[in-house]
């Protein structure tokens, strides 16, 4: 199993730094991950967050590509309906060229009403539009309608669809599935079969919200604050622009208690490299998993903690998952 890290470039008001430092440090961590032998680094996309959540992941991937040698670069995910197919196809091709064939293009639907309003996109048609973007992007590359084209033939496309219907759609399109949910394997394979793809060629990968530490009790007072901010803001922005009530704040203590419990992996994995590896192995058993990627930073976390975690993921967690 390949192991990577995940960035969203948040800069929350309680821990605000200069934006140049936020991006500069993330690039330093990409270089460090590359040096330490991690397999991938992924970038996410959102718009209009108070903490400046990364809005252009392919731009960031291009910067990382220029400063790394071997590590693969991924987007998890680009909300495809917010962007024209030629724009995505051209930018992805350039990242693939700069990196000499190291890009994984992850696309999804997005879900935030304000983002769709900002871009003038139709939220009600987000799934059909995303499906169409996949077809359009492939066609633009195949017919050389955008130039230059990518190095990889084909450049891997992944769909971050959730739920059984989304998994089946990903299968029908013959893409990888950016999810580690065991319940989605059957509908994903059904979709592959429906479109005549080799079911055995299906592949999955995805992320866990994680903090890996050799001192769980010592690090917890800091981790819990950043975890709470990250997920409370996600939950708040999820309902922004709708008539849904604001969700209750999360209970970090409960998330820590249930994350590594015997009942299965929770929303947050916290513990030593061995603890986290055991939980991941148990959760993905039987899935065609190509890789997992873990949050490098939780919403403005101190740099020294981020650097230490990246080193632990590379030096101790990755070897424990290498044979899965």
């Amino acid at each position: 199993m390949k192991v990577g890290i995940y960035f969203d470039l948040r800069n929350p008001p309680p821990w605000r730094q200069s934006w140049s430092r936020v991006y500069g440090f993330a690039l330093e961590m990409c270089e460090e991950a590359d040096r330490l032998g991690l397999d991938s680094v992924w970038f996410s996309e959102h718009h209009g967050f108070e903490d400046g959540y990364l809005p252009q992941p392919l731009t960031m991937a291009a910067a990382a590509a220029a400063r790394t040698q071997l590590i693969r670069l991924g987007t998890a995910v680009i909300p495809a309906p917010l962007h024209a197919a030629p724009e995505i196809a051209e930018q992805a091709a350039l990242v693939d060229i700069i990196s000499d064939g190291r890009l994984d293009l992850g696309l999804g639907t997005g879900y935030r009403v304000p983002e769709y309003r900002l871009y003038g996109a139709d939220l009600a048609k987000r799934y059909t539009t995303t499906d169409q973007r996949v077809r359009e992007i492939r066609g633009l590359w195949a017919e050389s309608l955008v130039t230059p084209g990518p190095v990889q033939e084909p450049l891997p496309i992944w769909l971050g669809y959730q739920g059984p219907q989304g998994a089946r759609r990903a299968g029908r399109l013959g893409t990888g599935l950016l999810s580690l949910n065991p319940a989605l394997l059957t509908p994903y394979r059904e979709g592959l079969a429906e479109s005549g793809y080799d079911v055995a060629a299906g592949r999955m990968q995805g992320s866990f919200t994680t903090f890996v530490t050799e001192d769980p009790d010592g690090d917890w007072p800091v981790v819990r604050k950043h975890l709470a901010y990250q997920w409370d803001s996600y939950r708040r922005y999820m309902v922004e622009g709708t008539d849904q009530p604001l969700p209750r704040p999360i209970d970090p203590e409960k998330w820590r208690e249930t994350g590594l419990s015997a009942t299965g992996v929770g929303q947050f994995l916290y513990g030593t490299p061995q603890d986290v590896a055991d939980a991941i192995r148990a959760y993905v058993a039987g899935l065609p998993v190509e890789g997992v990627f873990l949050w490098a930073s939780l919403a403005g976390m101190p740099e020294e903690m981020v650097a230490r975690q990246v080193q632990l993921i590379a030096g101790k967690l990755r070897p424990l998952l290498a044979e899965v």
Side-chain angles (χ1 to χ4, degrees):
M1 182 190 302
K2 297 176 181 178
V3 178
I5 54 175
Y6 192 22
F7 285 99
D8 56 13
L9 282 296
R10 288 166 171 251
N11 191 10
W15 307 288
R16 183 77 78 194
Q17 299 183 72
S18 76
W19 281 107
S20 293
R21 181 56 195 166
V22 171
Y23 278 73
F25 176 69
L27 289 171
E28 290 174 17
M29 289 298 97
C30 292
E31 290 181 288
E32 180 73 349
D34 190 44
R35 184 185 70 82
L36 293 172
L38 279 173
D39 299 294
S40 62
V41 57
W42 296 75
F43 303 102
S44 190
E45 175 179 340
H46 273 300
H47 302 272
F49 277 34
E50 67 176 356
D51 53 28
Y53 199 118
L54 176 64
Q56 297 293 335
L58 283 170
T59 302
M60 187 65 184
R67 294 176 59 164
T68 56
Q69 300 295 321
L70 298 173
I71 198 166
R72 290 195 65 82
L73 310 162
T75 57
V77 294
I78 294 170
L82 305 187
H83 305 279
E87 174 196 351
I88 299 173
E90 289 177 339
Q91 290 193 24
L94 286 180
V95 175
D96 205 48
I97 290 167
I98 295 168
S99 66
D100 194 22
R102 291 185 280 132
L103 179 66
D104 286 278
L105 181 62
L107 304 175
T109 63
Y111 56 85
R112 292 191 63 231
V113 171
E115 293 177 345
Y116 271 78
R117 289 175 178 165
L118 178 67
Y119 277 82
D122 188 344
L123 184 66
K125 297 180 179 178
R126 61 191 183 276
Y127 284 98
T128 55
T129 303
T130 301
D131 289 353
Q132 185 61 25
R133 291 289 184 272
V134 173
R135 299 185 186 99
E136 291 171 342
I137 290 166
R138 285 173 169 168
L140 290 167
W141 288 335
E143 299 174 35
S144 298
L145 296 176
V146 297
T147 56
V151 171
Q152 298 176 91
E153 295 183 6
L155 190 154
I157 296 179
W158 298 79
L159 277 171
Y161 281 168
Q162 305 302 317
Q165 292 185 10
R168 184 173 283 105
R169 297 175 86 110
R172 288 172 180 161
L173 287 165
T175 72
L177 181 62
L178 271 180
S179 175
L180 296 172
N181 184 349
L184 301 186
L185 178 58
T186 295
Y188 173 50
R189 284 179 166 167
E190 290 172 350
L192 288 166
E194 287 172 22
S195 290
Y197 291 104
D198 181 2
V199 172
R203 64 209 192 281
M204 301 169 74
Q205 63 181 318
S207 66
F208 290 101
T209 301
T210 308
F211 191 79
V212 183
T213 173
E214 292 183 313
D215 184 10
D217 291 334
D219 283 339
W220 181 242
V222 175
V223 171
R224 71 184 308 279
K225 292 187 296 184
H226 293 273
L227 173 68
Y229 174 89
Q230 176 153 322
W231 278 97
D232 284 342
S233 64
Y234 262 135
R235 288 150 60 86
R236 182 174 74 251
Y237 285 124
M238 187 178 295
V239 301
E240 186 180 20
T242 74
D243 56 4
Q244 299 179 50
L246 287 174
R248 294 181 180 179
I250 72 161
D251 181 351
E253 303 298 335
K254 184 176 181 180
W255 277 35
R256 180 184 177 183
E257 291 170 5
T258 59
L260 296 168
S261 70
T263 59
V265 172
Q267 292 173 291
F268 178 57
L269 298 183
Y270 183 74
T272 67
Q274 187 67 62
D275 292 335
V276 173
D278 290 345
I280 291 174
R281 277 199 302 263
Y283 189 76
V284 304
L287 299 181
V289 176
E290 182 171 304
V292 299
F293 43 98
L294 315 175
W295 288 104
S297 173
L298 299 175
M301 183 171 279
E303 290 181 359
E304 63 273 14
M305 294 183 71
V306 176
R308 187 173 359 116
Q309 186 191 205
V310 170
Q311 291 164 358
L312 282 174
I313 292 172
K316 295 195 174 182
L317 179 64
R318 182 175 179 268
L320 291 170
L321 294 174
E323 297 181 0
V324 176

